[in-house]
Amino acid sequence: MALPWALAVLSLLPLLDAQSPACPNFSVPITNASLDQISGKWFYIASASRLPGYKEKASKIHASFFYFTPNHTEETILFREYMTMGDQCLYNCSRLKVQRENGTLSTSENDREYYEHLLLPKDPKTFMLASFPEDKQYMGLSFFAEKPEGTREQKEKFYDYLTGMGMDKSEVIYSDEKK
Ligand SMILES: *[C@@H]1O[C@H](CO)[C@@H](O)[C@H](O)[C@H]1NC(C)=O
Ligand SMILES: *[C@@H]1O[C@H](CO)[C@@H](O)[C@H](O)[C@H]1NC(C)=O
Ligand SMILES: *[C@@H]1O[C@H](CO)[C@@H](O)[C@H](O)[C@H]1NC(C)=O
Ligand SMILES: *[C@@H]1O[C@H](CO)[C@@H](O)[C@H](O)[C@H]1NC(C)=O
Ligand SMILES: *[C@@H]1O[C@H](CO)[C@@H](O)[C@H](O)[C@H]1NC(C)=O
């Protein structure tokens, strides 16, 4: 009797999807306009991720801001990051690759590419990056804004996307600008 039950559940899935308009579209292609939109200075506000060890790492970040400098012809983004961890101030500079067609940015670490889906809410003063959105075990979502503290509306959008992905507000780790 398990099979008919499973089929009935599967047939409900598209319905459930249609009922969650908050769930972001992870495969919106990246255009020159979206690259222009994310060009400039951004503050890291909050994130949630189920990657092992992530919580420990993220809770050490008190503050972080960075500059994105996209290169439209090279399909890369120069990423210059300033981060306060404990009482240390760290600077890091790297290059992200842009995969326009599937809407992702990637970094290479230890010969592996890590993909983040770029999510652009209507408000151009904020953006998000989603990792492994299809994998409940490893999924993550990070939230950035033009000002060190996101507005209430921007945070609501972040929570919407987070719950749309199947994560919970209690999983969120916030940066702490005041320290
Ligand atoms: C997501 O965006 C792509 C590109 O704009 C579009 O083709 C696709 O239909 C969208 N998917 C959903 C579920 O809205
Ligand atoms: C994007 O910008 C690059 C560099 O300015 C240009 O060569 C390319 O044609 C643009 N692409 C589109 C779709 O406008
Ligand atoms: C983009 O990259 C190309 C190729 O490396 C380089 O020639 C060009 O000057 C860069 N453009 C900008 C705006 O940095
Ligand atoms: C700097 O960036 C590199 C490449 O992304 C990364 O391997 C390294 O851990 C970063 N360092 C810090 C202090 O975040
Ligand atoms: C995005 O596209 C690149 C190149 O086309 C591919 O290697 C990569 O696996 C894709 N990533 C995702 C998350 O779909």
Side-chain angles (χ1 to χ4, degrees), residues 31-33 35 71-73 75 100:
T31 61
N32 280 346
L35 289 177
N71 183 318
H72 295 214
T73 49
E75 306 298 349
R100 288 180 184 253

Side-chain angles (χ1 to χ4, degrees), residues 58-90:
S59 52
K60 286 201 193 102
I61 303 176
H62 292 318
S64 159
F65 64 89
F66 57 89
Y67 295 89
F68 264 174
T69 314
N71 183 318
H72 295 214
T73 49
E74 218 187 34
E75 306 298 349
T76 58
I77 299 177
L78 179 66
F79 172 58
R80 288 171 296 150
E81 184 182 32
Y82 299 81
M83 198 162 39
T84 320
M85 270 176 115
D87 51 10
Q88 273 185 307
C89 193
L90 304 171

